Amino acid sequence: MITIIPEAPENVAAFNATGEVTKEDFENIVFPVVKKKIDHFHELNYLLYLDTDIDNFTVGAWFEDAILGLKNLANWNRAAIVTDKKGIQNFTDIFSVLMPGEFKSFPKGNLYNALYWCKNGNEVEV
């Protein structure tokens, strides 16, 4: 299931993925929010907090996620993936070289830093 992270800055489409993630999660929750953000801000700042195993994404969810990326290719500004899984962190960092915009991974304990980075393009000084 995907839910909206309500504490997200206004210019960030932020989501929490838990349990099984389906195609309908993308169609009913992610796409409408992303469209609204792009229409208003003319760019996409996106955050996905992975509170589930990547194996819990159905094939339809992966397909919809790919469509999200392709449909909004020119609008990507910043995207953060928040997870403690090293493989996903590494993939996100490598993927950033292939996509327009900036893609960055953050550990789960740094959710608010990830939100701040999505909003501003820099991190909170600790």
Side-chain angles (χ1 to χ4, degrees):
M1 166 169 50
I2 291 182
T3 56
I4 296 168
I5 297 175
E7 309 88 342
E10 185 184 5
N11 70 330
V12 178
F15 306 97
N16 183 29
T18 59
E20 183 181 63
V21 177
T22 67
K23 172 183 177 182
E24 290 76 21
D25 291 325
F26 279 89
E27 290 174 347
N28 299 328
I29 297 167
V30 176
F31 287 170
V33 171
V34 165
K35 181 180 180 339
K36 187 176 175 184
K37 298 294 181 185
I38 290 172
D39 288 349
H40 187 265
F41 295 101
H42 308 291
E43 66 182 13
L44 180 56
N45 295 313
Y46 179 88
L47 181 138
L48 181 61
Y49 186 94
L50 283 174
D51 205 15
T52 189
D53 203 36
I54 212 73
D55 293 341
N56 288 330
F57 278 67
T58 66
V59 172
W62 280 116
F63 182 71
E64 293 300 316
D65 188 41
I67 288 174
L68 172 69
L70 294 174
K71 276 178 55 176
N72 298 293
L73 197 59
N75 298 107
W76 284 106
N77 187 42
R78 284 183 288 277
I81 305 299
V82 181
T83 180
D84 287 337
K85 305 269 187 205
K86 292 294 180 197
I88 297 170
Q89 290 173 350
N90 292 337
F91 177 79
T92 301
D93 295 338
I94 291 168
F95 189 68
S96 68
V97 176
L98 305 173
M99 288 287 289
E102 299 176 75
F103 284 69
K104 190 170 184 171
S105 63
F106 290 84
K108 284 185 174 180
N110 285 355
L111 172 60
Y112 291 102
N113 198 17
L115 287 166
Y116 186 85
W117 176 80
C118 281
K119 176 184 177 185
N120 301 301
N122 54 10
E123 295 183 45
V124 177
E125 297 293 326
V126 183

